[in-house]
């Protein structure tokens, strides 16, 4: 058995399909985001503008967040010291869980080390605890949700994306006596579209199903206090479990769920992904705590982000570039070919100092490869116009079609 050959062939396949992933070596400039430095060659760092960060509101650069982290570091040190059950349950963790529960109007919240882990651990545990549970999953759900459903070992039914008729058909076909859980997202991160939350909840009520919503691309950014689309649409009280991240709009790291006290107790008592892992560093938790509290009362960042996204969509559209329009902050520019998507990304970085990662399969279906821009409140009009002009030049250079 030639193990090296097998590994080499696996990597060669990615290269041949044009979807081998390259990690860009960068450092952000504190207090000057989206400006950063790229270590791409041998001539020292090159200044770049970041256009693809999930630090959507630049809260990772906010003075309140940085000050809170520095204070915690000097107060309690670097790490938590263990799992939540053994030494790693700090007062910072308790305070943050209380703030997150309040943000979503729930009895409690539970912290995880990432949004991926919170989805995987919660979905797999819920389905195992509910005997004979069937999970109804949107076909565009995130890989972490799919992993959690798979790891539960339960039956699953995949419904077409945001298709209420198909979802109801699957619910009606299921045994009315078995537990049911509908799992979906609020904002789908690659297309930027939004789920019909109230209508899904209506079906859940009709067929006696629990609901689980992933709000990772919405918390902090929508609703009067940043509780997400469920906050904006006044639907949080209808959702059984709300899952979110601390590494996107809140600007730091981690994941969480918010739900009633009984479910919190079950997950913290049964989920291996929670029980057997070192808890988040109190330094990180302190930063998130400052971020959540700030965004509950400040809409400046949300308004700035929406304005920046609207401007980029408008300029790309006016330039005849194939922007996929959505009602959210995510701006996908469709290319449809993995090699060409990577080429455009490379030219932008090398020649224009613009950093945006190519998005290829399996993140998106083959033939829908794209560049995914995430403009934030610190992206200026000048930056946006320079980006648009660069894209027009590249489109013409590669002889790609633009709308008239």
């Amino acid at each position: 058995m030639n193990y090296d050959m097998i590994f080499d062939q696996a990597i060669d396949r990615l290269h041949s399909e044009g979807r081998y992933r390259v990690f860009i070596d960068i450092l952000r400039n504190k207090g000057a985001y989206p400006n950063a430095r790229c270590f791409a060659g041998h001539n020292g760092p090159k200044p770049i503008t970041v256009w693809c960060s999930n630090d959507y509101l630049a809260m990772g650069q906010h003075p309140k967040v940085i000050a809170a982290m520095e204070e915690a570091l000097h107060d309690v040190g670097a790490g938590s010291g263990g799992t939540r059950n053994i030494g790693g349950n700090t007062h910072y963790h308790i305070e943050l869980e209380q703030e997150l529960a309040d943000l979503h109007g729930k009895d409690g919240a539970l912290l995880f080390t990432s949004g991926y882990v919170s989805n995987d651990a919660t979905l797999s545990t819920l389905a195992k605890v509910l005997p004979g549970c069937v999970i109804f999953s949107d076909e565009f759900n995130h890989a972490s949700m799919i992993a959690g459903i798979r790891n539960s070992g339960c039956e699953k039914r995949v419904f077409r994306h945001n298709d209420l008729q198909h979802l109801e058909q699957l619910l009606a076909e299921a045994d009315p006596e078995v537990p049911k859980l509908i799992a979906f997202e609020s904002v789908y991160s690659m297309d930027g579209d939004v789920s019909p939350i109230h209508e899904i909840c209506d079906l859940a009520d009709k067929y006696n199903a629990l609901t689980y919503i992933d709000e990772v691309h919405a918390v902090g950014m929508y609703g009067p206090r940043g509780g997400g689309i469920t906050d904006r649409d006044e639907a949080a009280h209808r959702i059984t479990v709300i899952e979110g991240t601390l590494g996107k709009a809140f600007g730091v790291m981690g994941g969480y769920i918010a739900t009633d006290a009984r479910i919190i107790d079950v997950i913290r008592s049964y989920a291996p992904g929670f029980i057997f892992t070192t808890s988040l560093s109190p330094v990180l938790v302190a930063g998130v705590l400052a971020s959540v509290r700030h965004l509950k009362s400040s809409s400046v960042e949300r308004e700035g982000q929406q304005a920046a996204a609207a401007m980029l969509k408008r300029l790309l559209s006016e330039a005849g570039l194939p922007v996929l329009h959505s009602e959210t902050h995510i701006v996908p520019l469709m290319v449809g070919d993995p090699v060409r998507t990577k080429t455009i990304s490379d030219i932008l970085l090398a020649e224009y100092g613009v950093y945006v990662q190519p998005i290829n399969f399996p993140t998106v279906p083959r033939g829908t490869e794209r560049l995914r821009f995430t403009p934030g409140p610190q992206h200026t009009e000048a930056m946006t116009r320079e980006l648009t002009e660069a894209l027009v030049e590249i489109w013409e250079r590669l002889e790609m079609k633009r709308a008239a």
Side-chain angles (χ1 to χ4, degrees):
M1 178 65 68
N2 188 334
Y3 294 105
D4 289 344
M5 183 181 71
I6 294 172
F7 295 142
D8 287 340
Q9 288 174 342
I11 296 300
D12 288 344
R13 283 196 298 273
L14 296 178
H15 281 291
S16 66
E17 294 172 11
R19 58 188 186 93
Y20 179 77
R21 298 178 186 230
V22 177
F23 297 161
I24 305 300
D25 184 359
I26 67 172
L27 287 173
R28 297 199 290 177
N29 299 330
K30 176 178 172 289
Y33 177 82
N35 295 316
R37 294 156 279 164
C38 177
F39 296 81
H42 303 288
N43 299 320
K46 170 186 175 180
I48 62 170
T49 303
V50 179
W51 277 97
C52 58
S53 174
N54 284 340
D55 186 0
Y56 290 131
L57 302 180
M59 290 303 294
Q61 304 287 313
H62 199 283
K64 287 182 182 179
V65 174
I66 294 171
M69 295 178 75
E70 290 177 338
E71 181 181 349
L73 178 64
H74 293 290
D75 183 27
V76 301
S80 70
T83 66
R84 291 291 292 277
N85 187 50
I86 305 175
N89 185 46
T90 75
H91 189 62
Y92 289 103
H93 293 77
I94 294 169
E95 279 194 295
L96 179 54
E97 286 174 342
Q98 291 171 346
E99 287 285 349
L100 291 169
D102 172 75
L103 178 64
H104 297 291
K106 299 297 185 184
D107 293 343
L110 193 65
L111 293 177
F112 294 85
T113 50
S114 73
Y116 189 105
V117 174
S118 55
N119 271 333
D120 187 0
T122 304
L123 284 167
S124 62
T125 302
L126 275 177
K128 286 176 181 176
V129 169
L130 296 167
C133 181
V134 179
I135 294 184
F136 300 82
S137 174
D138 189 289
E139 67 173 327
F140 284 2
N141 277 344
H142 190 263
S144 58
M145 300 176 76
I146 295 169
I149 295 167
R150 182 182 299 117
N151 291 336
S152 74
C154 74
E155 288 190 43
K156 69 174 180 181
R157 303 285 185 271
V158 178
F159 61 94
R160 291 186 292 271
H161 179 53
N162 279 348
D163 189 329
L164 296 169
Q165 184 176 358
H166 189 216
L167 173 58
E168 180 161 21
Q169 175 189 331
L170 295 176
L171 287 165
E173 291 171 353
D175 183 345
E177 300 302 318
V178 302
K180 302 173 186 66
L181 175 65
I182 304 172
F184 61 108
E185 300 183 37
S186 60
V187 174
Y188 288 85
S189 63
M190 289 301 126
D191 289 347
D193 56 336
V194 175
S195 60
I197 298 175
H198 278 292
E199 290 83 355
I200 290 175
C201 289
D202 289 342
L203 291 177
D205 292 343
K206 181 177 179 179
Y207 292 95
N208 193 27
L210 303 178
T211 48
Y212 182 104
I213 192 168
D214 176 314
E215 283 258 46
V216 298
H217 291 278
V219 289
M221 295 174 284
Y222 297 91
R225 297 200 307 158
I229 300 295
T230 52
D231 182 16
R232 185 197 72 178
D233 293 355
E234 299 182 347
H237 65 286
R238 304 190 67 187
I239 299 289
T240 311
V241 180
I242 296 174
E243 184 268 346
T245 183
L246 309 172
K248 293 184 170 64
F250 294 128
V252 190
M253 180 182 178
Y256 69 92
I257 59 169
T259 182
D260 68 43
R262 184 181 293 104
I263 294 177
I264 291 290
D265 206 13
V266 167
I267 301 303
R268 78 172 191 91
S269 300
Y270 281 92
F274 174 81
I275 297 169
F276 298 106
T277 189
T278 300
S279 65
L280 285 169
S281 161
V283 176
L284 298 174
V285 178
V288 177
L289 191 57
S291 183
V292 171
R293 286 172 172 166
H294 175 80
L295 289 174
K296 279 183 176 180
S297 60
S298 173
S299 293
V300 172
E301 294 80 8
R302 288 188 279 276
E303 292 167 359
Q305 181 197 40
Q306 290 298 320
M311 181 190 304
L312 180 57
K313 291 174 187 176
R314 177 175 60 82
L315 291 179
L316 293 179
S317 181
E318 289 174 355
L321 293 165
V323 59
L324 182 65
H325 289 280
S326 74
E327 62 180 280
T328 63
H329 58 283
I330 294 166
V331 185
L333 188 62
M334 307 305 289
V335 180
D337 175 81
V339 175
R340 186 155 280 188
T341 306
K342 179 68 165 58
T343 299
I344 297 169
S345 172
D346 289 345
I347 295 173
L348 283 170
L349 184 64
E351 300 183 22
Y352 291 96
V354 167
Y355 174 40
V356 57
Q357 276 291 91
I359 306 295
N360 296 324
F361 178 84
T363 306
V364 295
R366 297 181 193 275
T368 68
E369 292 82 6
R370 68 198 66 184
L371 299 172
R372 175 182 175 272
F373 295 93
T374 54
Q378 305 303 326
H379 286 95
T380 65
E381 180 176 351
M383 291 176 181
T384 308
R385 291 190 179 279
E386 288 169 5
L387 169 64
T388 304
E389 291 168 4
L391 287 166
V392 167
E393 188 279 320
I394 295 169
W395 241 253
E396 292 176 349
R397 187 194 312 187
L398 298 181
E399 298 181 344
M400 296 168 64
K401 291 183 179 179
R402 289 192 292 138

